[in-house]
């Protein structure tokens, strides 16, 4: 996760009056490279709509458009006690979510457990044993039962498994590849549900896996639970993604299930992979370097232009290029720290954009402390403008995915639930994204935005629990599409 500093007072406007001509020329060139105008936004969005459709087809496309087997929204009247397990790159979070009779309300108890580094590259069994141990500790502490086997009913659990996985059922998930620093042999290509269930059964825990979910799908469902105008869930953080509700009849690749055409099914887009073919995205030479030097060149092209993991690296690559080849910024100084790949993250740009002082003194102190570089005022002005350009481009391009879903589904008005460190903490990201949506969808000026992107509910905790609740509700109603193992659910 991108780690941002606390928000500070509003940033100042800045002035280029004292910037030398050669630096001004470089700033103008950077503005040309990184500015995405209205026409380009619309072009990207139109291609996005086409690619969303292609992802739903039998043949498929770059965007996976994974069916999640979450068949509809909660109505707000779900009740009961549910567990949620959130497995990320740094922590393991265990939650107990209580859904009372009041519509759209919930109570949550949660504990976090550090994910030991040695587990990330260790043995598969050790990983699942550790997860089961944490779950057991949580249940024993909060239920104060000496013998867990005596609990009358098993607690339904929603498991947020935030790694790329394909699902033939809501309660299974075949790991496509490890990410986030994990590299455990023998798990890729395997269904992780039985591995987890075996560790649970070994301890005789009163738990039933009801659903394996992606955090973006959880964000959609949790946000709709408290606000029924939410129709899209998004993540803008270390990565980027969106989920929305489609009609089964509009998903040709699941036609062989013979589901009612108007039955809803949540689609996990995984649209960080948009435009892997490099047809329409306005890539700069720096974007090309990021892609070519990445572990998987040619993949996640959209994500590499807008996600928090890459914003700092874009900034770093530009400054190194300016120093070595263009206008000799930081001339005569040791920039060895700046040459280290991925040494800067999105919080570095965030800090620069929030510097409230006309002389950019806080930015100067940041460069001195973190990079050992003493930048003069014109160089600081260039850095400030570069941070604004990169942050603005990310926000504007991020709006294209939301606009594309709205155009595909003919959504005229809705709320969009967004989560992730970049959305929540990067300065001006929300406002810049909203402005881009206005330009793409041609809304009239002076009226409230029909599509409003706002902070989401807890997708990986509350969302996971709600999806477990929805799965049980479907089993009771006899709607078993996409559910593998109904034993113990009712």
């Amino acid at each position: 996760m991108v780690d941002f500093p606390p928000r500070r007072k509003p940033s100042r406007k800045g002035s280029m009056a004292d910037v030398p001509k050669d630096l001004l020329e470089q700033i103008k060139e950077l503005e040309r490279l990184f500015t995405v105008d209205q026409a380009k936004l619309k072009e990207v969005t139109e291609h996005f709509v086409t690619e969303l459709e292609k992802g739903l087809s039998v043949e498929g496309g770059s965007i996976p458009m994974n069916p999640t087997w979450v068949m509809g929204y909660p109505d707000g009247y779900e009740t009961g006690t549910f567990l949620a397990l959130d497995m990320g790159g740094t922590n393991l979070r265990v939650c107990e979510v209580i859904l009372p009779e009041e519509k759209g309300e919930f109570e949550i108890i949660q504990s976090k457990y550090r994910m030991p580094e040695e587990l990330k590259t260790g043995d598969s069994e050790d990983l699942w044993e550790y997860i089961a141990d944490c779950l057991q500790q949580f249940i024993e502490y909060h239920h104060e039962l000496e013998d867990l086997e005596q609990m009358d009913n098993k607690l339904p659990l929603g498991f947020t498994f935030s790694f790329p996985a394909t699902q033939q059922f809501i309660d299974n998930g075949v790991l496509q590849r490890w990410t986030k620093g994990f590299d455990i042999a023998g798990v890729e290509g395997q269904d992780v549900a039985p591995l987890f269930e075996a560790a649970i059964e070994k301890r005789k825990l009163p738990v039933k896996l009801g659903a394996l979910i992606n955090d973006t799908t959880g964000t959609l469902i949790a946000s709709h639970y408290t606000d029924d105008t939410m129709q899209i869930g998004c993540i803008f953080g270390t990565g980027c993604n969106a989920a929305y509700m489609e009609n089964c009849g509009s998903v040709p690749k699941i036609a062989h299930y013979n589901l009612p055409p108007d039955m809803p099914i949540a689609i996990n887009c995984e649209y960080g992979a948009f435009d892997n073919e490099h047809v329409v995205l306005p890539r700069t030479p720096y974007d090309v370097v990021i892609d070519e030097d990445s572990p998987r060149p040619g993949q996640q092209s959209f994500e590499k232009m807008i996600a928090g993991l890459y914003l700092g690296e874009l900034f770093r690559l530009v400054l190194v290029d300016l120093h070595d080849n263009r206008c000799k910024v930081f001339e005569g100084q040791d920039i060895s720290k700046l040459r280290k790949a991925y040494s800067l993250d999105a919080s570095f740009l965030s800090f620069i954009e929030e510097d409230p002082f006309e002389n950019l003194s806080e930015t100067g102190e940041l460069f001195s402390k973190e990079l050992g570089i003493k930048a003069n005022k014109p160089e600081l002005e260039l850095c400030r403008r570069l941070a604004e350009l990169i942050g603005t481009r990310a926000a504007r391009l991020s709006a294209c995915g939301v606009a594309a879903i709205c155009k595909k589904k003919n959504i005229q008005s809705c709320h969009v639930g967004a989560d992730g460190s970049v959305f929540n903490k990067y300065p001006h990201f929300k406002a810049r994204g909203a402005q881009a949506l206005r330009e793409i969808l041609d809304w009239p000026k002076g009226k409230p935005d029909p599509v409003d992107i706002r902070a989401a509910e807890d997708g990986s905790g509350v969302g996971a629990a709600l999806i477990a609740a929805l799965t049980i509700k479907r089993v009771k109603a006899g709607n078993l599409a996409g559910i593998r193992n109904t034993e113990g659910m009712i």
Side-chain angles (χ1 to χ4, degrees):
M1 188 177 77
V2 180
D3 187 20
F4 287 84
R7 296 297 291 268
R8 297 174 295 156
K9 49 190 161 180
S11 50
R12 47 56 117 190
K13 293 288 186 183
S15 167
M16 294 291 173
D18 52 356
V19 177
K21 184 179 179 182
D22 62 333
L23 283 190
L24 274 177
E25 289 175 353
Q26 292 303 323
I27 289 170
K28 286 180 181 178
E29 174 61 12
L30 292 171
E31 288 174 341
R32 184 189 70 79
L33 284 173
F34 284 96
T35 298
V36 184
D37 63 17
Q38 182 181 26
K40 176 52 89 171
L41 287 174
K42 289 188 173 187
E43 182 187 0
V44 170
T45 302
E46 289 304 318
H47 189 58
F48 221 129
V49 175
T50 302
E51 291 299 298
L52 293 176
E53 294 278 7
K54 191 184 294 183
L56 294 173
S57 70
V58 176
E59 297 79 13
S62 289
I63 304 178
M65 301 296 281
N66 294 327
T68 65
W69 303 105
V70 177
M71 317 296 280
Y73 290 119
D75 59 17
Y77 293 105
E78 290 74 15
T79 59
T81 299
F82 304 87
L83 294 176
L85 191 61
D86 177 15
M87 179 181 166
T90 306
N91 297 312
L92 181 74
R93 184 166 61 118
V94 184
C95 311
E96 183 171 283
V97 179
I98 300 169
L99 305 177
E101 292 184 358
E102 293 81 11
K103 183 179 181 182
E105 297 293 323
F106 63 85
E107 301 169 21
I108 185 168
I109 304 164
Q110 57 188 324
S111 297
K112 282 186 179 180
Y113 304 88
R114 174 67 62 175
M115 188 68 77
E117 285 299 318
E118 61 270 19
L119 280 184
K120 297 182 182 181
T121 54
D123 181 75
S124 170
E125 186 176 352
D126 291 341
L127 172 68
W128 304 111
E129 292 284 328
Y130 177 75
I131 292 172
D133 282 342
C134 294
L135 191 55
Q136 181 170 352
Q137 287 178 36
F138 181 88
I139 295 171
E140 287 178 342
Y141 180 80
H142 291 290
H143 286 269
E144 300 178 349
L145 289 174
E146 292 183 7
D147 189 351
L148 296 176
E149 296 179 48
Q150 299 305 310
M151 287 187 70
D152 292 335
N153 297 307
K154 289 187 175 183
L155 290 167
L157 180 139
F159 186 0
T160 302
F161 185 71
S162 298
F163 300 88
T166 53
Q167 292 185 272
Q168 296 299 316
F169 306 94
I170 197 168
D171 48 347
N172 92 320
V174 176
L175 176 67
Q176 294 170 313
R177 64 184 182 275
W178 285 116
T179 56
K180 304 179 184 179
F182 281 77
D183 189 14
I184 300 171
V187 185
E188 291 185 350
Q190 300 296 312
D191 183 358
V192 299
L195 302 175
F196 170 66
E197 288 171 323
I200 297 300
E201 180 58 32
K202 185 176 177 181
R203 286 159 182 73
K204 302 297 182 185
L205 297 181
V207 172
K208 166 64 180 174
L209 177 63
L212 191 83
I213 75 155
N214 172 276
D215 56 354
T216 315
T217 310
T219 296
L220 170 67
I221 297 302
S223 298
H224 191 277
Y225 179 71
T226 58
D227 175 0
D228 59 15
T229 65
M230 291 279 187
Q231 294 190 48
I232 302 170
C234 294
I235 303 289
F236 302 118
T238 308
C240 70
N241 194 15
Y244 73 101
M245 204 65 72
E246 188 56 89
N247 298 320
C248 289
S250 299
V251 189
K253 63 184 177 183
I254 62 169
H256 58 287
Y257 286 92
N258 296 315
L259 299 170
D262 59 349
M263 178 181 283
I265 183 168
I267 299 295
N268 167 29
C269 298
E270 295 288 358
Y271 68 22
F274 168 64
D275 201 29
N276 283 345
E277 303 81 8
H278 307 146
V279 173
V280 71
L281 285 174
R283 298 203 308 163
T284 69
Y286 309 106
D287 296 298
V288 174
V289 171
I290 280 184
D291 182 43
E292 290 178 347
D293 291 348
S294 71
R296 291 180 168 85
Q299 296 184 27
Q300 301 299 102
S301 292
F302 186 56
E303 185 167 280
K304 286 170 181 170
M305 295 181 73
I306 74 170
L309 180 61
Y310 304 101
L311 301 185
E313 181 65 359
L314 270 173
F315 183 81
R316 187 195 70 81
L317 286 171
V318 174
L319 291 184
V320 170
D321 182 41
L322 290 175
H323 174 274
D324 290 350
N325 306 312
R326 296 179 181 273
C327 60
K328 305 299 182 187
V329 294
F330 318 133
E331 191 170 11
Q333 298 197 55
D334 177 10
I335 69 160
S336 55
K337 288 185 177 179
L338 186 63
R339 291 191 187 280
K340 183 181 178 184
Y342 289 93
S343 54
L344 307 181
D345 64 17
S347 66
F348 195 92
L349 278 69
S350 172
F351 192 97
I352 294 171
E353 285 220 51
E354 289 194 307
D355 188 340
F357 298 108
E358 285 296 325
N359 64 358
L360 293 172
S361 59
E362 290 191 354
T363 303
E365 290 169 8
L366 180 70
F367 270 81
S368 178
K369 178 183 175 184
E370 299 295 330
L371 299 171
I373 292 172
K374 294 193 181 300
N376 59 38
K377 177 71 169 11
E379 290 169 343
L380 293 174
E381 289 288 357
L382 181 146
C383 292
R384 168 62 167 245
R385 183 66 182 129
L386 176 59
E388 290 173 348
L389 287 168
I390 291 171
T392 299
R393 186 187 74 162
R396 287 174 68 79
L397 285 176
S398 74
C400 295
V402 175
I405 293 172
C406 289
K407 288 174 80 74
K408 183 196 178 306
K409 293 294 295 176
N410 194 29
I411 297 171
Q412 300 296 320
S413 175
C414 76
H415 288 163
V416 177
D419 203 356
S421 53
V422 173
F423 178 80
N424 290 322
K425 296 181 179 179
Y426 195 95
H428 318 303
F429 188 89
K430 299 176 192 177
R432 290 163 175 169
Q435 175 58 36
L437 271 181
R438 291 182 205 114
E439 294 176 32
I440 297 167
L441 300 174
D442 293 315
W443 294 332
K445 293 181 180 179
K447 293 185 178 181
D449 292 349
V451 178
D452 185 11
I453 305 178
R454 49 180 63 191
E457 290 290 349
D458 170 19
S460 55
V462 176
L466 280 165
I467 291 170
L470 287 172
T471 305
I472 291 170
K473 184 189 283 189
R474 283 210 289 129
V475 171
K476 289 179 177 177
N479 177 6
L480 305 182
I483 303 173
R484 179 183 57 179
N485 182 10
T486 61
E487 184 179 348
M489 281 200 184
I490 53 176

